[in-house]
Amino acid sequence: MKNKIGKRLVKSFLIVILITISIIDIFLLFAFSFYFYNNISKELISRMEVSLEIYKRDYSDKTIEDLIYEDSDIFLSNTNAEVQILDNNGDLLLDSIGKLSSIPIEPSDMFAAENGEIKTWRGEDAQTGEAIMSVTGAIKNNEGEKIGYLRFISSIEEANKAILKTGISLLIFMLFVALVTAMVSLLISKSIVKPILELTEVAKTMLSGNYEEKAKVYEDDEIGELAKTLNAMSDEILNKDRIKNDFISSISHELRTPLTSIKGWAVVLKDANEDEKDLVEDGLNIIENEADRLAKMVEELLDFSRYISGRITLDKDLFDISQTCVDVSKQMKPRAKLNNIEFITEFPEEAVLIYADENRIKQLLINLLDNAIKFTSDKGWVKFQMSKEDGYVHMMISDNGMGMTKEEISHVKEKFYKGKHSKSHSGIGLSISDEITKLHNGNLEIFSEENIGTTVKVTLPIEIPKEVGDKID
């Protein structure tokens, strides 16, 4: 089971090599056969042409009978093949080895000779069963009349044996190459399968929860890239796991603080006297504020859960985003004033209509302004700007607070990421803001320098559907 890929590789190599060698062997076998048979054919045709030329030049005035009984040597002396002389009907009149047959000879070379052609024929001797090749030529007298046929016959048994030996040699060679190929392909497959098996074991180890395990990178190839990817995935999981644990620890602390406060004041109020009105009022105010803070954190967690599971839906409608920015700034100004922070706004006077989810846009802006105020020190400033340009709405929230390092900027929008500063809380506010922006096909950019300040720029497209635009008109 473990070496399944190795077996497939060996089998594939063998099949490819065997098919290739088989094609080459068949081609070579046909080439050898053609070479042997073609040489014999050429020799027979050449001897036939010489014999017929001699007859035409010196003996064309003689009849077929004269040739048989007086001058048959003119045909016998020009070849080592078996020589036959036949009449016009194909009946055998003379055979150099004394073979006689009453059955007319009818191979294809006879039909070719009847048409004035000289062609070879390959087959078996009707009497002996021996493999032979024959050639037949028409004998014509000096008046151009056909008086019979001259036939040369040569055995091709030796040629067939040579071809058979060649075929056996090629088969042995093919088996030898197949053996060598199997051994080489086995070594190659092992070199390929070994890192794959190691990667599988590493993946199984990671599956069991041990993400510290790392895969070896043997070569800079596809398997090496897979190993690097697996290692990168392991590092990312470890990083996400660390961030998640930090988040759980942080959120547990964040939830515990208001709960402790609520419980503590509940105990104080329980033991309070009826005349301690101021104490009761302070306690109830603190309990209310802490309950609101707790509710806000729970709501953030619920929102975050909906975003990452893809269950969030937008309730889009047409609204004036300029007015929305004014409303949000009014809501956040008291908070800035309480922290002794100058709150600056710059909005266009004219209405800027946009088709979006107004409540989600408000949530986005409140998150960003809350962060800006939270991380800006006493007597600092926060600026909230909005503008319209080329079919887009640009909203910028800037501050002269503590800023962030380049490393923090690269992670600040990640889920569960919590900054190093003590004022950092759950680490999901910016993640939610980024998700809201993406759901509106917009873009959220963060520019920051440590101890100088931060600017967050949100760009949203003004996408008003045609049917909504027609209603306005």
Side-chain angles (χ1 to χ4, degrees):
M1 188 72 176
K2 281 186 177 180
N3 206 17
K4 218 168 183 181
I5 294 177
K7 288 178 181 176
R8 280 213 312 266
L9 285 171
V10 172
K11 192 187 293 183
S12 301
F13 284 142
L14 271 176
I15 289 171
V16 171
I17 293 297
L18 287 176
I19 290 173
T20 304
I21 294 176
S22 297
I23 293 170
I24 294 172
D25 285 355
I26 291 168
F27 173 77
L28 289 175
L29 203 57
F30 273 112
F32 279 121
S33 301
F34 176 79
Y35 172 76
F36 285 123
Y37 293 144
N38 191 53
N39 280 350
I40 297 171
S41 174
K42 282 183 177 179
E43 177 67 20
L44 287 174
I45 291 172
S46 175
R47 293 298 179 185
M48 175 62 67
E49 288 173 347
V50 169
S51 296
L52 291 176
E53 183 62 30
I54 292 172
Y55 165 77
K56 184 179 178 181
R57 188 185 64 208
D58 300 327
Y59 301 96
S60 59
D61 58 336
K62 296 183 180 292
T63 64
I64 193 74
E65 288 79 8
D66 293 337
L67 289 172
I68 292 171
Y69 296 112
E70 296 177 11
D71 301 299
S72 60
D73 286 347
I74 64 167
F75 300 124
L76 301 177
S77 60
N78 290 317
T79 180
N80 294 323
E82 178 185 352
V83 180
Q84 291 180 341
I85 298 177
L86 303 93
D87 62 17
N88 284 333
N89 296 322
D91 294 324
L92 185 61
L93 301 177
L94 174 70
D95 190 294
S96 62
I97 61 173
K99 220 170 30 174
L100 291 175
S101 174
S102 58
I103 303 171
I105 297 171
E106 298 180 345
S108 60
D109 57 314
M110 280 291 297
F111 294 110
E114 288 176 4
N115 296 321
E117 298 176 359
I118 299 176
K119 288 184 178 179
T120 55
W121 170 80
R122 194 170 75 245
E124 290 184 356
D125 191 291
Q127 293 180 356
T128 64
E130 182 183 13
I132 59 171
M133 184 182 288
S134 66
V135 61
T136 303
I139 304 172
K140 295 181 181 180
N141 59 20
N142 52 10
E143 294 179 358
E145 295 175 350
K146 184 168 58 179
I147 61 174
Y149 298 98
L150 177 65
R151 189 167 184 244
F152 291 164
I153 302 169
S154 177
S155 173
I156 56 173
E157 288 289 334
E158 290 300 320
N160 285 348
K161 286 178 183 177
I163 292 168
L164 181 62
K165 284 180 182 178
T166 303
I168 292 171
S169 300
L170 290 173
L171 181 62
I172 292 170
F173 174 72
M174 183 175 72
L175 293 174
F176 173 74
V177 171
L179 181 63
V180 173
T181 302
M183 293 170 65
V184 173
S185 59
L186 192 61
L187 293 172
I188 293 172
S189 68
K190 281 184 178 179
S191 68
I192 295 172
V193 171
K194 183 183 176 183
I196 294 176
L197 291 175
E198 288 184 5
L199 285 178
T200 304
E201 291 302 317
V202 170
K204 286 179 180 178
T205 305
M206 290 181 181
L207 186 63
S208 65
N210 181 13
Y211 298 109
E212 299 289 344
E213 188 75 18
K214 291 292 183 287
K216 286 184 180 178
V217 181
Y218 286 95
E219 298 287 343
D220 190 18
D221 54 12
E222 288 82 356
I223 296 175
E225 283 298 314
L226 180 60
K228 290 177 185 176
T229 304
L230 199 62
N231 291 338
M233 184 186 72
S234 170
D235 292 337
E236 188 64 20
I237 290 172
L238 285 170
N239 185 47
K240 294 291 184 186
D241 201 43
R242 179 185 58 78
I243 292 172
K244 183 192 71 175
N245 291 336
D246 290 346
F247 168 77
I248 292 170
S249 174
S250 172
I251 204 67
S252 298
H253 175 74
E254 293 293 332
L255 292 171
R256 190 186 298 114
T257 302
L259 284 172
T260 303
S261 182
I262 290 170
K263 183 179 178 181
W265 275 102
V267 171
V268 170
L269 293 178
K270 187 177 178 182
D271 296 332
N273 298 321
E274 291 182 4
D275 59 342
E276 295 180 300
K277 187 178 178 181
D278 291 341
L279 178 66
V280 171
E281 189 176 342
D282 289 342
L284 289 174
N285 286 332
I286 290 171
I287 288 172
E288 184 182 5
N289 291 334
E290 291 299 298
D292 288 342
R293 189 155 73 94
L294 191 61
K296 184 183 176 184
M297 281 191 283
V298 172
E299 188 60 35
E300 273 191 344
L301 287 172
L302 288 172
D303 265 350
F304 184 69
S305 174
R306 292 190 196 104
Y307 280 117
I308 62 174
S309 63
R311 291 184 289 110
I312 197 73
T313 55
L314 297 179
D315 185 16
K316 288 187 175 183
D317 202 357
L318 198 67
F319 66 94
D320 178 7
I321 195 167
S322 181
Q323 184 59 46
T324 303
C325 290
V326 170
D327 294 342
V328 170
S329 66
K330 286 179 180 178
Q331 183 179 341
M332 299 303 293
K333 263 184 182 179
R335 168 85 186 280
K337 187 177 181 181
L338 187 65
N339 286 271
N340 199 22
I341 293 170
E342 184 184 2
F343 194 81
I344 307 162
T345 58
E346 290 181 9
F347 308 134
E349 293 182 3
E350 70 277 6
V352 178
L353 296 179
I354 187 171
Y355 187 72
D357 188 330
E358 186 176 11
N359 287 329
R360 295 296 177 187
I361 297 299
K362 281 183 178 180
Q363 182 185 3
L364 159 69
L365 295 173
I366 289 169
N367 274 345
L368 297 178
L369 286 168
D370 183 63
N371 276 346
I373 294 168
K374 186 195 304 178
F375 293 103
T376 301
S377 57
D378 186 45
K379 296 183 180 179
W381 55 263
V382 170
K383 183 184 284 187
F384 183 15
Q385 300 168 280
M386 193 216 88
S387 62
K388 176 187 173 185
E389 184 182 356
D390 298 330
Y392 287 90
V393 169
H394 303 284
M395 294 175 286
M396 286 197 298
I397 296 169
S398 307
D399 63 67
N400 65 340
M402 58 193 66
M404 291 180 284
T405 63
K406 288 183 179 179
E407 184 184 354
E408 284 179 305
I409 293 173
S410 63
H411 297 290
V412 75
K413 290 195 284 186
E414 291 180 3
K415 299 173 181 68
F416 307 127
Y417 181 78
K418 181 183 175 183
K420 298 174 183 179
H421 198 272
S422 59
K423 291 184 179 181
S424 300
H425 291 303
S426 62
I428 58 177
L430 271 176
S431 294
I432 292 174
S433 300
D434 191 45
E435 290 293 339
I436 292 173
T437 309
K438 287 177 181 176
L439 284 171
H440 285 87
N441 299 319
N443 186 37
L444 187 148
E445 298 174 278
I446 300 173
F447 310 93
S448 185
E449 282 191 49
E450 197 171 11
N451 301 318
I452 293 178
T454 302
T455 296
V456 179
K457 182 180 180 182
V458 177
T459 303
L460 298 177
I462 302 175
E463 297 174 339
I464 302 176
K466 188 176 182 300
E467 57 273 16
V468 177
D470 292 340
K471 287 180 184 178
I472 300 170
D473 296 337

